[in-house]
Amino acid sequence: MSDATDPNQERFDDEVMSLDQRDSEAVFDALDKAVRFNQKLMAAFEEHDQRVASR
């Protein structure tokens, strides 16, 4: 199914984000850092695993 006929596919053709050098470096630095899960998030994952049955 092409993007034009797929209602689940959002289109953002007319939206452009421009970043200056400082902001673009901040974005890439944030993406480059490893994600650390805190205890509260880990507990939420465990609770989810107990409550939700995978298909």
Side-chain angles (χ1 to χ4, degrees):
M1 183 177 278
S2 72
D3 290 346
T5 59
D6 184 356
N8 296 317
Q9 179 66 39
E10 294 185 41
R11 299 293 304 237
F12 298 102
D13 292 338
D14 60 343
E15 296 186 27
V16 176
M17 181 185 297
S18 297
L19 300 175
D20 63 18
Q21 181 70 28
R22 182 182 60 107
D23 291 339
S24 63
E25 288 175 4
V27 169
F28 285 109
D29 288 345
L31 292 173
D32 192 40
K33 290 182 183 176
V35 175
R36 293 188 202 156
F37 297 153
N38 63 24
Q39 290 296 336
K40 197 169 190 178
L41 182 58
M42 292 303 295
F45 282 144
E46 290 175 20
E47 182 178 343
H48 174 270
D49 289 343
Q50 292 173 3
R51 290 178 178 233
V52 177
S54 298
R55 293 182 188 190

